[in-house]
Amino acid sequence: MLSDADYAGNASGARRAKKRSSGESPGDGQALRSSGRQINVRVKRTNNPPPGQSKRKATDTEEEDDQAEKKYRKCEKAGCSATYPVCFASASERCAKNGYTSRWYHLSCGEHFCNECFDHYYRSHKDGYEAFASWKKVWTSNGKSEPSLKAFMADQQLPFWVQCIKADCGRWRQLTKEIQLTASLAATYRCGMKFSNIKSEGPDQCSQPEDLRVAEVTDSWWHSMLILPPLLKESPASPFLAAYYPDCVGMSPSSSPSHVSLTELRADHCRAVQPQIPGLCPYFQPFYQPNECGKALCVRPDMMELDELYEFPEFSRDPTMYLALRNLILASWHKNCKEVLTSQKCALHIIVRGLVRVRCVQELDRVLNFMTRKGLINTGVLAVTRPLLPERYCSKNVIVIGAGASGLAAARQLQNFGTQVVVLEARERIGGRVWDGTSLGVTVGRGAQIVNGCVNNPIALMCEQMGIKMHKLEERCDLFQEGGQVTDPAIDKRMDFHFNAILDVVSEWRKDKSQNQDTPLGEKVQEVKKNFLQESGIQFSELEEKVLQFHLSNLEFACGSTLDQVSARSWDHNEFFAQFSGDHTLLTKGYSVLLHKLAEGLDIRTKCPVQAIDYSGDVVKVTSSNGSHWMAQKVLVTVPLTLLQKNVIQFNPPLPERKLKAIHSLGAGIIEKIALQFPYRFWDNKIQGADYFGHIPPSPDKRGMFSVFYDMDPQGKQAVLMSVITGDGVPAVWDMEDKDVVDECMKVLRELFKEQEVPEPLHFFVTHWRKDQWSQMSYSFVKTGGSGEAYDILAEDVQGKVFFAGEATNRHFPQTVTGAYLSGVREASKMAAM
């Protein structure tokens, strides 16, 4: 190991004291010796004294050696490898350089400054005091950590290190401390660049040896010997984290805007205000703001998550370096999600003085690989030209069963990681329960088409990557009664309050109830309502009762079932987790355009229904109904819940009893949709630009029939309405012809717009998800007596060979395309980790 020298050289033995003239460098012209842990061996004198001269006493010899040794001093930091420290600062005229000083101040193994340079900045009568005092003022104004002199030296005086960008070099070089490192300099630096004050590396620039201190940085113990954590300057995360103390999130307070006072910072901590960053999609909010909570796919910039602590336990004691790198990576990705984010791109923005920059760049690969594997970055519809992860993360081959949102998400992630993937799809098309059509003049989804909560939603990310604009759905929803009257908004507001109050009472009731004490949600709602009316003496009017039925129909829409099948204890189990916030939007181009982009370049075999999975051996064997056989290391099953419940796929060995029980504890919800194209927009005058309007049911048994109508062309050019059939309305239309369902819908529309003529539709479609052979459902719900834990059990792999994804495996975000997509990302991450 070397001393704290700024150039490389051969290690020599422990040097004896040698008298030098003032200012002479140690061992002038001689290579500096190793800074490793050495034993200073005293040389025993063997020559005899001249004749007539008395022999010197042993004690005299020892005193002379002690005087000689006083010319040098070791670093007093326990465990420091620097036997002969060198002062990097050279600030004082009396700087010890690599000679004797009364005390060495340790910043890292290889970076020290002497007591003379300490005094130069610390003592008020010294020349450097003003620079330290000025820095201290900025630091205390912006930061929270102690503005010590060591922090000043690390932040302002240590030299920068930069890596040669030549592919066959990559050596680290130290800049003189006057040079400020920038991202552009880091991107262009080559050994021997002709800067007037960059140290010359000699005529054969890249062939010059690398400073041996760089090799020490890679050792595991080196990080533990750092006195101060790295605080980055000009981090890409800075605009996202203006409300935080910079040093709490891995950034330097000295590079933060000095006009932001401590008082203002603390005031920001009391409110959760998202920063406005020019050019950034408003739905990208990867960091919690102070005092903010309950937002999906959001991280605290000042704290490691549990999975991060599990992956990087070495940062549990002081997470600053990890937070600095993670925050930088997340911010960089959200600033440009259309290109692969690499460690080379991120390294340019690691601006920090000292050898710790070398360590940060070395750690960057691990952090970036972890975040890529977890689907936090380098995800969505991103196209890649080379594997995103090292080979050790890649399975040899994986079979994905089902080309819906979850299957395509997993296949895209795995292929981007470098795994060979084959997708087997039973239908002639991809998409699963996403199925869009344009036969009515605009895109109408027979399945999903609405995004519920866009902030940090991966659907919003993919739209941004593809340049697709989503239409924000406004909150206004007028409720029309049969007869054409518009319901007084005050009545709607009042009944909405009572409806939510009933659900609040149900929430209180279930707090101490076990699964065995569960009851159907419909029964519990009626019981609470009855008790409320008896105890309060309030009587709802006939119209108020009908408005309440409208809200109950919306609840059945959300659950995908009549309320007599839904668990009162666990109907909204996912609300215990952070959910997606922000705008609800309509994908006017449909989900299919996203899924087809995900599918680009994937090996997808359509018309290939799987009937058996044999995982009894070392490899998994998959058999399709057309006689084809497939083999892989791992298989991902993404078929809808109903197909698992009906044993459409035979597993050998059978699935564990625990998983089978969970499969049958969930319900397969069904809703149907109807879309109508008209010759003109007869509703415009009445709804006045609203995105949808509600239909007050004339009686409780009719509440599932066409409760909401959506205007499918926000531009107002095409005349297309879409409505839903939910709850008891679903079995009512099972055996009806499509034309009869349309007639029923037209009766409702003519009642809602009784004051005007409603034309016959030009074209229409009615969905039949219950009869769809490869779905037989819309989305899942928790049946009475079940629990949200069933979703987690469904998500468990079997023997590390058979994996499961789909909306019914996502406890946090069930019933949505987003939840299905994220379950695929989750399983791809799980397989890569194995």
Side-chain angles (χ1 to χ4, degrees):
M1 298 180 184
L2 287 185
S3 66
D4 295 352
D6 56 2
Y7 61 91
N10 296 323
S12 65
R15 191 176 60 180
R16 304 295 301 160
K18 177 180 178 182
K19 189 172 182 178
R20 304 187 301 275
S21 60
S22 176
E24 181 184 4
S25 62
D28 193 21
Q30 178 179 342
L32 297 179
R33 62 251 145 241
S34 169
S35 62
R37 297 170 183 142
Q38 299 180 10
I39 299 173
N40 294 324
V41 181
R42 298 184 184 280
V43 180
K44 183 178 180 181
R45 298 177 183 274
T46 57
N47 55 317
N48 295 323
Q53 184 175 346
S54 62
K55 188 174 182 179
R56 301 176 73 180
K57 295 180 180 179
T59 55
D60 293 338
T61 304
E62 290 174 2
E63 286 176 4
E64 181 187 74
D65 287 349
D66 287 342
Q67 289 295 322
E69 290 297 332
K70 195 174 181 182
K71 296 294 183 181
Y72 312 97
R73 190 182 191 93
K74 294 181 181 180
C75 174
E76 296 176 0
K77 170 73 174 173
C80 179
S81 59
T83 306
Y84 299 98
V86 177
C87 180
F88 66 78
S90 299
S92 168
E93 291 181 357
R94 298 177 60 243
C95 174
K97 301 192 185 301
N98 64 343
Y100 175 81
T101 184
S102 59
R103 179 181 177 183
W104 285 109
Y105 292 88
H106 174 106
L107 293 183
S108 76
C109 293
E111 294 168 321
H112 300 79
F113 61 97
C114 66
N115 195 59
E116 288 72 18
C117 288
F118 177 94
D119 287 346
H120 176 76
Y121 289 109
Y122 193 74
R123 307 299 175 191
S124 59
H125 62 282
K126 298 285 186 177
D127 293 343
Y129 178 77
E130 186 176 339
F132 173 55
S134 221
W135 170 88
K136 187 175 182 179
K137 184 177 180 181
V138 174
W139 190 276
T140 52
S141 174
N142 294 331
K144 202 172 183 181
S145 57
E146 180 188 356
S148 65
L149 191 83
K150 282 188 176 183
F152 168 74
M153 299 298 272
D155 189 69
Q156 297 291 309
Q157 299 301 315
L158 271 174
F160 284 107
W161 289 77
V162 65
Q163 192 172 24
C164 178
I165 63 168
K166 289 184 181 178
D168 57 348
C169 179
R171 290 181 174 86
W172 286 92
R173 306 299 186 189
Q174 177 183 298
L175 307 179
T176 57
K177 65 179 182 179
E178 292 80 14
I179 289 292
Q180 296 292 320
L181 180 64
T182 62
S184 59
L185 175 58
T188 57
Y189 178 78
R190 295 169 181 261
C191 294
M193 275 184 71
K194 300 300 181 182
F195 282 87
S196 58
N197 46 2
I198 289 184
K199 294 188 176 182
S200 173
E201 298 295 340
D204 191 10
Q205 301 102 347
C206 287
S207 64
Q208 294 297 313
E210 187 176 62
D211 191 310
L212 294 186
R213 286 177 293 169
V214 174
E216 284 189 348
V217 174
T218 62
D219 291 338
S220 58
W221 57 266
W222 190 91
H223 179 252
S224 66
M225 296 298 292
L226 269 178
I227 291 297
L228 297 166
L231 298 175
L232 307 187
K233 298 175 181 287
E234 310 301 329
S235 170
S238 182
F240 291 84
L241 307 177
Y244 284 91
Y245 293 102
D247 41 350
C248 292
V249 292
M251 301 188 302
S252 170
S254 68
S255 64
S256 300
S258 57
H259 64 271
V260 181
S261 69
L262 187 63
T263 304
E264 289 171 328
L265 270 173
R266 285 176 176 166
D268 280 338
H269 275 245
C270 298
R271 60 183 187 270
V273 180
Q274 282 296 327
Q276 299 299 312
I277 301 174
L280 186 76
C281 173
Y283 297 140
F284 290 178
Q285 298 174 20
F287 303 106
Y288 278 119
Q289 295 305 302
N291 295 328
E292 190 178 28
C293 62
K295 198 158 64 175
L297 302 192
C298 210
V299 299
R300 286 196 59 92
D302 56 346
M303 188 180 299
M304 291 178 72
E305 305 281 320
L306 287 177
D307 56 347
E308 293 174 320
L309 288 167
Y310 181 81
E311 189 82 8
F312 301 95
E314 67 272 26
F315 292 113
S316 59
R317 186 163 167 262
D318 183 355
T320 307
M321 180 185 290
Y322 178 83
L323 294 175
L325 297 178
R326 179 251 266 160
N327 295 345
L328 180 153
I329 291 168
L330 264 185
S332 299
W333 166 246
H334 284 91
K335 283 185 173 182
N336 182 10
C337 62
K338 297 180 181 180
E339 297 178 1
V340 174
L341 184 64
T342 64
S343 55
Q344 291 78 12
K345 291 178 183 178
C346 292
L348 305 179
H349 298 284
I350 297 178
I351 309 297
V352 63
R353 292 179 179 272
L355 284 165
V356 74
R357 180 169 189 265
V358 180
R359 184 58 177 256
C360 285
V361 172
Q362 290 170 348
E363 294 287 355
L364 191 62
D365 265 338
R366 289 179 62 215
V367 179
L368 191 127
N369 286 341
F370 169 75
M371 297 177 71
T372 296
R373 175 168 62 81
K374 298 292 284 187
L376 300 172
I377 62 170
N378 292 333
T379 187
V381 298
L382 204 63
V384 303
T385 56
R386 60 180 64 183
L388 295 176
L389 295 180
E391 190 174 345
R392 66 180 181 273
Y393 288 108
C394 302
S395 302
K396 185 178 179 181
N397 60 341
V398 172
I399 292 173
V400 175
I401 300 172
S406 58
L408 293 174
R412 167 55 55 203
Q413 290 288 103
L414 287 168
Q415 183 160 297
N416 284 356
F417 293 167
T419 297
Q420 291 183 352
V421 185
V422 175
V423 182
L424 306 181
E425 169 56 49
R427 295 183 176 88
E428 294 184 352
R429 61 173 180 84
I430 67 168
R433 283 167 278 177
V434 168
W435 185 18
D436 297 330
T438 57
S439 62
L440 304 184
V442 294
T443 300
V444 181
R446 288 175 167 83
Q449 195 170 1
I450 291 174
V451 184
N452 292 307
C454 288
V455 172
N456 297 333
N457 196 310
I459 304 303
L461 170 75
M462 289 188 276
C463 286
E464 182 72 11
Q465 289 173 324
M466 295 181 66
I468 294 173
K469 299 295 182 184
M470 296 183 288
H471 173 69
K472 177 183 175 181
L473 295 172
E474 300 298 336
E475 293 184 5
R476 179 175 155 231
C477 178
D478 291 334
L479 301 185
F480 298 159
Q481 304 164 42
E482 294 196 0
Q485 303 93 333
V486 179
T487 303
D488 184 349
I491 294 176
D492 179 25
K493 187 175 181 180
R494 182 162 64 250
M495 297 315 296
D496 181 57
F497 171 80
H498 286 302
F499 169 71
N500 284 297
I502 290 170
L503 294 180
D504 288 342
V505 174
V506 174
S507 296
E508 284 296 316
W509 164 84
R510 68 185 176 193
K511 284 182 177 179
D512 59 350
K513 297 297 183 291
S514 66
Q515 279 182 247
N516 293 332
Q517 296 172 299
D518 198 6
T519 62
L521 179 59
E523 288 182 14
K524 198 65 193 174
V525 165
Q526 290 304 318
E527 177 188 322
V528 172
K529 175 192 168 188
K530 181 181 177 182
N531 291 340
F532 166 73
L533 294 177
Q534 287 178 348
E535 293 172 7
S536 66
I538 295 176
Q539 288 295 322
F540 293 151
S541 68
E542 182 182 353
L543 177 57
E544 288 173 333
E545 281 283 1
K546 291 179 180 179
V547 173
L548 180 60
Q549 293 300 318
F550 168 80
H551 289 294
L552 289 172
S553 74
N554 270 340
L555 183 57
E556 290 178 326
F557 185 10
C559 295
S561 170
T562 55
L563 300 184
D564 59 355
Q565 297 186 58
V566 179
S567 165
R569 182 175 171 271
S570 301
W571 71 273
D572 60 345
H573 63 97
N574 58 306
E575 294 295 331
F576 292 97
F577 307 101
Q579 296 297 298
F580 292 105
S581 59
D583 299 336
H584 299 318
T585 59
L586 176 72
L587 276 176
T588 52
K589 292 184 178 294
Y591 274 103
S592 290
V593 68
L594 303 180
L595 299 194
H596 278 87
K597 187 68 176 177
L598 275 178
E600 281 185 8
L602 296 178
D603 184 359
I604 302 175
R605 312 296 174 91
T606 55
K607 295 187 287 185
C608 190
V610 170
Q611 66 179 17
I613 297 175
D614 186 339
Y615 61 100
S616 58
D618 292 336
V619 296
V620 186
K621 300 176 182 178
V622 176
T623 304
S624 69
S625 59
N626 60 17
S628 301
H629 297 277
W630 311 81
M631 298 176 70
Q633 287 182 315
K634 297 179 177 68
V635 169
L636 175 62
V637 180
T638 71
V639 300
L641 174 68
T642 315
L643 304 191
L644 293 175
Q645 291 175 335
K646 295 184 177 181
N647 299 316
V648 171
I649 299 176
Q650 299 297 314
F651 291 88
N652 181 37
L655 293 176
E657 188 62 33
R658 164 184 165 87
K659 186 178 285 287
L660 292 174
K661 184 178 178 181
I663 287 171
H664 291 284
S665 73
L666 296 180
I670 300 176
I671 67 164
E672 301 293 358
K673 299 174 75 172
I674 180 173
L676 306 164
Q677 181 186 22
F678 294 95
Y680 57 90
R681 298 170 59 88
F682 64 86
W683 58 87
D684 271 348
N685 289 338
K686 193 164 186 175
I687 71 167
Q688 298 177 344
D691 292 310
Y692 41 79
F693 56 90
H695 160 218
I696 299 296
S699 60
D701 60 310
K702 294 286 188 180
R703 74 183 183 202
M705 298 294 286
F706 322 114
S707 59
V708 179
F709 287 87
Y710 294 85
D711 184 346
M712 299 307 294
D713 185 16
Q715 302 299 320
K717 297 177 181 177
Q718 297 293 325
V720 179
L721 291 177
M722 185 273 290
S723 190
V724 292
I725 304 167
T726 63
D728 286 325
V730 174
V733 301
W734 277 350
D735 298 322
M736 291 173 61
E737 296 292 331
D738 287 358
K739 187 64 173 69
D740 295 332
V741 177
V742 171
D743 288 343
E744 289 296 318
C745 188
M746 290 304 299
K747 288 177 185 177
V748 169
L749 283 173
R750 288 186 170 117
E751 281 291 330
L752 301 185
F753 295 86
K754 202 163 189 175
E755 70 284 354
Q756 66 185 78
E757 182 183 352
V758 175
E760 284 293 318
L762 301 175
H763 303 284
F764 61 84
F765 71 71
V766 178
T767 64
H768 301 279
W769 287 107
R770 173 179 168 268
K771 297 177 182 178
D772 185 295
Q773 182 182 3
W774 304 114
S775 292
Q776 303 182 38
M777 65 177 294
S778 297
Y779 41 79
S780 61
F781 64 92
V782 180
K783 292 196 295 190
T784 304
S787 79
E789 186 185 4
Y791 286 89
D792 288 337
I793 297 172
L794 255 73
E796 294 172 354
D797 64 272
V798 180
Q799 298 182 10
K801 299 175 188 176
V802 182
F803 298 76
F804 294 83
E807 60 86 17
T809 72
N810 194 325
R811 187 175 186 176
H812 291 220
F813 314 111
Q815 306 174 322
T816 62
V817 177
T818 297
Y821 172 87
L822 287 173
S823 74
V825 172
R826 177 198 69 216
E827 294 308 300
S829 174
K830 193 188 298 183
M831 284 188 262
M834 289 183 173

